[in-house]
Amino acid sequence: WKLEWGSTNFNLLGVEFSVEIGKIPELNYNKQIPKIKSLIQQWKRRILTPIGRTTVVKTIIIPKVNHLFISLPNPRKEVISLLCRDIFEFIWKSKCDKVKRQIVTQDFLKGGLKMLDINNFIASLKCTWIKKLTNGNKPWIDIFLAVHGKDFVQKFLDFGDDFILNTLKQENNAFWEDVLKSWLCFIKTRNNVNVMKSNFHAFPIWYNSEIKVNNKTILTKNGIKMVLKLLVTFYKRMEFF
């Protein structure tokens, strides 16, 4: 038919798509980063306190890439590093941080400015897809389950972090790999001893890295003896005995 392709890219809902899927993240971030730099230059002329500049970052600058963080694979580490550098130079009006970033991201009472931790912020946005995956009936969920198995959601709800880790080893989709890594990070943070002590009934027994027999996580469909051994191990780990 002698078709002629006018363009290999198109824009939909603020995201630039390409026929070369692997180039989509870099294509979009490379487009937005210069806009952020331009915004920072504009706001540098204003006389603001560090708290005011932090507010500008959270309400004007970061929202420029929110839709990319939530809908595309994570940007390269170099991109995040350069973004953080520009943001903190803007906050302190200096190339040197005047307060450690681990402190700046904390509450005012702890000496911080309530600044975003960019990496944690991106991870939290990615984790919202877990809620969509487990509480919805959308066509994209059918596609996901066709790839990962129809019982994936039920396993996801019933099993622990080791199940996600095993799933990650087989995942070849960059976006879902980032989602699962973010959720795994959240679970690892949640699965500390103090939290589990206060709410241990809510934690799964199967595929839980905190509950092991012979240094292996457990999955069994029957066997009361094994369950009892697990419970004893669990209680000892929580120092209830």
Side-chain angles (χ1 to χ4, degrees):
W1 289 347
K2 298 181 180 180
L3 295 175
E4 293 184 5
W5 297 101
S7 175
T8 56
N9 296 350
F10 66 93
N11 191 287
L12 180 64
L13 299 177
V15 177
E16 190 79 18
F17 289 88
S18 170
V19 293
E20 298 183 62
I21 297 178
K23 291 184 178 180
I24 294 177
E26 189 170 356
L27 183 67
N28 282 274
Y29 289 114
N30 287 347
K31 185 178 179 180
Q32 289 297 327
I33 294 300
K35 294 181 180 179
I36 288 178
K37 289 180 178 290
S38 178
L39 263 179
I40 289 175
Q41 289 301 321
Q42 292 176 30
W43 282 93
K44 273 185 176 179
R45 305 187 188 102
R46 310 288 181 94
I47 301 175
L48 298 170
T49 64
I51 294 177
R53 289 171 181 265
T54 300
T55 302
V56 170
V57 170
K58 294 195 294 184
T59 58
I60 298 177
I61 294 175
I62 293 299
K64 286 289 182 182
V65 284
N66 278 0
H67 65 295
L68 301 182
F69 289 154
I70 199 171
S71 58
L72 295 180
N74 292 347
R76 293 179 291 108
K77 291 182 179 179
E78 294 83 359
V79 174
I80 297 178
S81 179
L82 290 174
L83 179 61
C84 289
R85 184 199 66 185
D86 291 341
I87 286 174
F88 281 98
E89 283 184 8
F90 167 68
I91 290 175
W92 297 119
K93 298 177 66 175
S94 170
K95 292 186 177 181
C96 298
D97 292 0
K98 297 180 181 179
V99 180
K100 288 184 178 179
R101 295 182 185 181
Q102 296 93 327
I103 297 176
V104 171
T105 55
Q106 296 187 36
D107 202 347
F108 296 132
L109 295 177
K110 295 183 179 180
L113 296 176
K114 289 187 177 181
M115 175 56 193
L116 293 174
D117 182 306
I118 303 297
N119 288 296
N120 288 342
F121 179 66
I122 295 174
S124 66
L125 290 177
K126 286 294 192 295
C127 285
T128 61
W129 284 94
I130 300 300
K131 181 179 180 181
K132 296 174 185 177
L133 182 63
T134 56
N135 295 321
N137 185 21
K138 304 289 184 182
W140 68 266
I141 296 179
D142 295 333
I143 297 173
F144 179 89
L145 296 180
V147 175
H148 294 82
K150 293 183 178 180
D151 58 347
F152 178 86
V153 173
Q154 192 59 48
K155 288 180 178 178
F156 186 85
L157 295 174
D158 291 342
F159 296 158
D161 57 305
D162 209 41
F163 170 73
I164 301 174
L165 189 60
N166 290 333
T167 303
L168 268 172
K169 293 177 182 178
Q170 305 171 20
E171 186 59 61
N172 56 11
N173 182 294
F175 174 79
W176 285 108
E177 185 178 350
D178 288 337
V179 171
L180 292 174
K181 282 181 178 178
S182 298
W183 187 252
L184 183 62
C185 182
F186 165 72
I187 289 178
K188 290 289 187 181
T189 303
R190 182 191 66 175
N191 282 6
N192 63 71
V193 175
N194 291 330
V195 175
M196 291 186 76
K197 277 185 179 180
S198 61
N199 194 25
F200 69 93
H201 291 291
F203 289 82
I205 293 176
W206 314 127
Y207 282 131
N208 190 330
S209 62
E210 295 296 328
I211 305 173
K212 294 183 179 180
V213 174
N214 296 327
N215 204 32
K216 294 182 179 179
T217 55
I218 301 300
L219 173 64
T220 180
K221 294 181 180 180
N222 49 32
I224 298 176
K225 290 183 179 180
M226 181 62 73
V227 174
L228 291 175
K229 286 181 180 179
L230 282 171
L231 290 175
V232 170
T233 303
F234 182 76
Y235 275 103
K236 285 182 178 179
R237 184 69 177 272
M238 295 300 101
E239 300 177 354
F240 283 111
F241 288 174

